[in-house]
Amino acid sequence: MEYVTLNNGITMPKLGFGVFQVEDALLCRQSVGEALATGYRLFDTAAVYLNEQAVGEAIRESGVARDDCFVTSKVWIQDMGYEATLKAFDRTLQRLAMDYLDLYLIHMPFGDVFGTWRAMEKIYAEGRVRAIGVCNFRIPRLADLMSHFEVVPAVNQVETHIFNQQKAMNRYAIAHGIHVEAWSPFAEGQRGFFTHPVLVAIGQKYGRTPAQVALRWLMQRDIIVIPKSVHAFRIRENFMVTDFTLSVEDMAQIEALDMAVPVVGDFDDPDFVTDLCSRKYDL
């Protein structure tokens, strides 16, 4: 396993397992159980994924010690604000049946961000979460947050893949001690991702799939990845990316694919943002 060291000194696996859109409890438990058996130790969930309880159950059923796992969850837009976030965090711990989280993130950069960050700093100071961070923050939003608070986000989880490489964000994050974490590292399969000729050709050199090449490329950029699958063979395949290294030439070929535009979610689109902010869940 490869690790990154966050800005407060704790280590985090560079390769993890995501459970977005796995709302079925049994399927989620089975998938996380398979991931644990394969060797994954980083698990990324969120209140709005509606599967925190299943993730917690799978970890307990696995026999893997809680302290050997790195568990991330997130606060959704409807629970932004100081008091609401404190309550949302307690509910997350209750659903997971855990005493602490390893990483807690602001899921979306909307609503009362400052109130929520104050709550997260409190939770962090109490030792109930080992690190705090954000998701989907653009550079100006990060700068704004850091200008008003003492704790710098440890992680910014953003859409990052071969078509949207987040080069400027990664440079800014590195300069400020923040780690970028890639959600949707496969671009949700869009734009012919899994059959892209560059990924296929590079994969043939190493006996690897396009997905494995894409994950390896991100990890060699020191970006944390959280691929998701509910298929056992894919879960195992996505884990087999630490025993080969892409050449400088391979890295450059993939870098040339950058379109620098989002494929999955455009946070500069007012309609997209309005839709996100209007979604209410039983959390």
Side-chain angles (χ1 to χ4, degrees):
M1 179 62 70
E2 298 178 12
Y3 295 85
V4 299
T5 300
L6 301 183
N7 57 19
N8 64 355
I10 72 170
T11 57
M12 177 178 182
K14 196 183 291 187
L15 171 63
F17 187 74
V19 294
F20 176 52
Q21 295 177 329
V22 190
E23 294 180 15
D24 181 84
L26 177 58
L27 183 59
C28 185
R29 288 201 309 273
Q30 291 173 338
S31 300
V32 173
E34 181 66 35
L36 283 156
T38 299
Y40 292 85
R41 292 297 179 265
L42 163 61
F43 297 93
D44 181 272
T45 183
V48 78
Y49 296 171
L50 306 178
N51 56 21
E52 289 172 315
Q53 181 176 339
V55 170
E57 290 173 351
I59 291 173
R60 289 191 299 279
E61 292 167 0
S62 72
V64 176
R66 165 66 185 94
D67 290 350
D68 291 336
C69 297
F70 193 103
V71 181
T72 300
S73 194
K74 313 176 189 79
V75 57
W76 185 244
I77 301 166
Q78 71 193 58
D79 288 322
M80 296 292 281
Y82 184 79
E83 293 294 342
T85 295
L86 293 177
K87 293 175 182 177
F89 181 79
D90 286 341
R91 292 195 299 271
T92 279
L93 286 188
Q94 290 168 6
R95 287 189 290 263
L96 286 163
M98 295 178 179
D99 296 326
Y100 69 96
L101 277 184
D102 296 283
L103 179 64
Y104 197 44
L105 304 175
I106 294 178
H107 205 153
M108 296 289 171
F110 311 121
D112 184 4
V113 170
F114 280 13
T116 285
W117 196 251
R118 283 195 299 112
M120 290 171 68
E121 283 191 332
K122 179 180 188 295
I123 295 163
Y124 176 60
E126 293 170 346
R128 295 200 293 155
V129 63
R130 299 175 67 217
I132 55 177
V134 298
C135 302
N136 304 306
F137 273 50
R138 305 293 293 273
I139 290 173
R141 198 66 168 117
L142 277 175
D144 182 30
L145 186 68
M146 291 188 294
S147 295
H148 291 88
F149 292 92
E150 293 184 6
V151 179
V152 174
V155 168
N156 186 18
Q157 188 181 116
V158 290
E159 179 188 339
T160 313
H161 46 71
I162 63 171
F163 304 127
N164 190 30
Q165 298 183 10
Q166 300 282 2
K167 293 175 185 176
M169 171 59 72
N170 206 35
R171 288 192 298 269
Y172 184 86
I174 290 170
H176 291 84
I178 302 168
H179 266 90
V180 170
E181 183 174 16
W183 63 259
S184 195
F186 303 142
E188 293 192 350
Q190 297 188 50
R191 301 189 180 181
F193 186 97
F194 294 112
T195 57
H196 195 284
V198 171
L199 297 182
V200 170
I202 292 173
Q204 288 173 347
K205 291 171 54 178
Y206 300 92
R208 304 292 170 144
T209 66
Q212 289 172 318
V213 170
L215 291 175
R216 187 67 224 162
W217 171 76
L218 286 165
M219 293 174 70
Q220 283 183 216
R221 293 177 64 207
D222 214 27
I223 291 174
I224 304 158
V225 294
I226 44 171
K228 180 212 80 176
S229 180
V230 296
H231 304 291
F233 77 99
R234 293 293 185 201
I235 292 171
R236 293 190 292 269
E237 178 184 285
N238 291 340
F239 192 74
M240 297 170 59
V241 293
T242 61
D243 59 348
F244 73 105
T245 302
L246 298 175
S247 69
V248 173
E249 293 76 19
D250 297 330
M251 295 290 288
Q253 283 191 66
I254 298 173
E255 184 178 351
L257 302 177
D258 191 19
M259 298 177 180
V261 294
V263 173
V264 182
D266 185 355
F267 290 87
D268 288 328
D269 179 353
D271 291 335
F272 178 75
V273 172
T274 298
D275 176 64
L276 281 178
C277 292
S278 68
R279 298 180 188 179
K280 305 295 182 183
Y281 301 88
D282 183 12
L283 306 179

